[in-house]
Amino acid sequence: MTVRVGVIGTGMIGADHVARLTTQVVGSRVSAVFDVATDRAAQVAAAAGATSHTSWEAVVAADDVDAVLIASPGHLHPEQAIACIAAGKPVLCEKPLATTSADALRVLEAEAAAGRRYVQLGFMRRYDAGYLDVKRTMTDGVIGEPLLAHAIHRNATVPDFFRGEMSLTDSLVHEFDVFRWLFDTEIESVTVLPVRTSPLAADGMRDPQVAVLRMAGGQVVTVESFVNCQYGYDVRCEVVGSLGTVGLDNPRTTVVITAGRRSESVPADWQERFAPAYTVELQSWVDDLAAGRVGGPSTWDGYAATAVAEAAVQSYAEGRPVDVRLAERPALYTAGE
Ligand code: NAP
């Protein structure tokens, strides 16, 4: 079976996903696209052999669309995901599920009312070989009881429109999801600590920042966010257990040794660092759909990560720890996870 995918949003990641679904993923093809940037949508559609529609609603409704990939700006995700659920079409929704926890809850309630999963969240780190190895090592008990973790999330630079809060809602939302997943427990509270600001940060922007996450299991995670680090894209972490530690480093390609120095490259950006994970994520989504199921990170995961990001923004503004308050978890998201 070939899964025919409709794509909403053909910007940076939407266009990448169309290319992956067309050339790398087995068992899928892109049949329809929409973007308000009509020229870009037409180009992407032509390269994929897809129809460029005049609205996202038309993509959702199209007869030749079995499933939808949402890669529009985050505030549009709830309305678009809910429309897909109403149409009975499975969705891969890029992060974030929503920009407010109230909007995320609306998607959760729509899916819970439908009584089955439709939505997989685009938390691709869960498909990254390095993170999977960290998770396996923790689960196998190799480092004993996992107690705490330290994480680093650095970007070389960010666009002019990027603000300090976006480090929390757009970048660290991946860290919020990944530590919920690694420790298999919710984040109870978050504290965002301002740090001396880099002279290279945009006017009015606090960068770097440190977030301290207290997990419901008592573990503590410190996360550094530094989005103007200049030198590359650097995502690492170390989980500390009662018997040892497991660390995630940048994937190694080559090491240069010359003139008394040993050096290796750092990924330039998230596209380079996580390219293999995006492909595995999409292949897994398509394989699940072909088998008649939806798996991977759920709407609950998207909702919980959004709620943590919201608490982090409040902590950033008020300079104090903020508790994360979650709605009751519907039964749909407790079985088989
Ligand atoms: P982007 O380059 O700005 O692409 C978004 C596209 O959606 C733009 O072409 C935008 O057009 C278009 N758009 C605006 N309104 C729309 C509408 N009503 N319907 C359909 N399309 C509409 O942003 P991006 O970096 O690709 O990010 C898209 C989403 O993916 C965001 O939620 C982002 O957080 C997420 N993302 C996830 C990852 C990851 O690692 N999983 C990485 C990158 C991005 P205009 O530019 O004309 O507004």
Side-chain angles (χ1 to χ4, degrees), residues 200-282:
L200 300 175
D203 274 354
M205 180 163 176
R206 279 196 227 151
D207 185 52
Q209 306 178 59
V210 171
V212 181
L213 315 178
R214 177 165 287 283
M215 314 299 295
Q219 306 91 341
V220 170
V221 182
T222 61
V223 190
E224 173 200 313
S225 162
F226 188 13
V227 297
N228 286 287
C229 81
Q230 307 298 311
Y231 67 81
Y233 182 77
D234 195 4
V235 167
R236 285 177 277 152
C237 73
E238 183 180 30
V239 180
V240 181
S242 54
L243 295 176
T245 78
V246 55
L248 175 89
D249 210 338
N250 289 305
R252 284 197 172 70
T253 46
T254 52
V255 175
V256 178
I257 305 175
T258 182
R261 285 184 182 275
R262 177 188 164 98
S263 64
E264 60 196 51
S265 62
V266 176
D269 50 32
W270 49 270
Q271 283 105 324
E272 180 184 340
R273 168 63 182 87
F274 286 110
Y278 292 119
T279 304
V280 178
E281 171 192 52
L282 291 180

Side-chain angles (χ1 to χ4, degrees), residues 16 43 46 77 89 91 105 261:
D16 278 3
Q43 267 176 21
H77 295 178
K89 296 197 177 176
V91 189
L105 196 55
R261 285 184 182 275

Side-chain angles (χ1 to χ4, degrees), residues 71-134:
S72 56
H75 67 278
L76 299 171
H77 295 178
E79 185 188 4
Q80 293 171 343
I82 289 170
C84 292
I85 294 167
K89 296 197 177 176
V91 189
L92 179 72
C93 179
E94 262 310 335
K95 65 83 189 161
L97 176 60
T99 49
T100 67
S101 61
D103 273 352
L105 196 55
R106 288 200 297 123
V107 186
L108 189 84
E109 287 169 352
E111 193 179 47
R116 51 155 286 200
R117 280 194 56 189
Y118 284 97
V119 182
Q120 173 172 331
L121 254 291
F123 288 130
M124 77 299 177
R125 288 188 184 187
R126 297 187 183 206
Y127 299 89
D128 175 71
Y131 276 109
L132 283 165
D133 210 18
V134 171

Side-chain angles (χ1 to χ4, degrees), residues 153-222:
H153 185 125
R154 297 185 189 136
N155 297 61
T157 55
V158 282
D160 290 344
F161 62 78
F162 211 86
R163 290 286 157 263
E165 294 85 341
M166 291 175 73
S167 302
L168 307 167
T169 57
D170 279 54
S171 301
L172 290 203
V173 72
H174 282 296
E175 307 286 345
F176 303 152
D177 178 67
V178 99
F179 285 104
R180 291 180 59 255
W181 174 66
L182 286 175
F183 283 109
D184 197 18
T185 187
E186 296 297 350
I187 296 168
E188 264 186 357
S189 82
V190 54
T191 311
V192 178
L193 303 170
V195 179
R196 183 187 168 103
T197 294
S198 162
L200 300 175
D203 274 354
M205 180 163 176
R206 279 196 227 151
D207 185 52
Q209 306 178 59
V210 171
V212 181
L213 315 178
R214 177 165 287 283
M215 314 299 295
Q219 306 91 341
V220 170
V221 182
T222 61

